[in-house]
Amino acid sequence: MKRRLKMGAIRLKDKKIPMRRCAGCMESKPKSQLIRIAGYEGRVTLDPTGKAKGRGVYLCPDRDCMEKAKKKRALQRSLGMEVSGEDMERIFQELSEYETKSD
């Protein structure tokens, strides 16, 4: 139901912030704070833009979250494909460039 505004009043829409869940720590955070890993046609790539084709999984740029995701095999499960050890090492090496210090 729409409300009528009184004369001179301007109503602006609040912009929603897209939220995503980290595969490591399982916390929901704004999409802009997480890094996307995309799986498409059997290939797994890091997607810092968040616009690559394929199914995506998100991780915090934090060493602890990366290790948790690796231990739980969260990438394989979320992407729905088997990820080789070489690909995992390459992805986590690329992720380390985005890593932030955790306190």
Side-chain angles (χ1 to χ4, degrees):
M1 187 171 163
K2 291 186 178 180
R3 286 183 154 177
R4 292 196 178 256
L5 299 176
K6 294 187 180 191
M7 288 178 28
I10 298 175
R11 189 172 179 189
L12 300 175
K13 271 191 158 182
D14 291 333
K15 191 166 185 169
K16 288 187 177 180
I17 299 172
M19 302 292 282
R20 299 292 183 265
R21 181 166 291 189
C22 172
C25 63
M26 301 306 287
E27 289 182 25
S28 290
K29 297 183 180 182
K31 183 179 175 181
S32 61
Q33 293 179 5
L34 301 174
I35 298 172
R36 182 175 187 254
I37 299 169
Y40 183 68
E41 294 183 346
R43 294 183 53 225
V44 179
T45 57
L46 194 67
D47 179 22
T49 63
K51 297 181 181 187
K53 286 184 179 181
R55 189 168 184 91
V57 61
Y58 292 84
L59 280 176
C60 296
D62 180 45
R63 173 64 60 190
D64 293 337
C65 287
M66 292 178 205
E67 292 300 325
K68 285 178 187 177
K70 195 173 188 179
K71 185 176 179 181
K72 294 189 301 187
R73 296 179 48 89
L75 296 182
Q76 290 91 327
R77 192 169 48 253
S78 296
L79 294 174
M81 65 173 68
E82 196 58 39
V83 180
S84 70
E86 299 165 350
D87 284 344
M88 286 290 289
E89 288 303 317
R90 180 181 50 80
I91 290 293
F92 283 108
Q93 184 64 36
E94 291 176 24
L95 276 171
S96 65
E97 295 173 16
Y98 294 93
E99 184 178 347
T100 57
K101 304 290 186 250
S102 64
D103 293 328

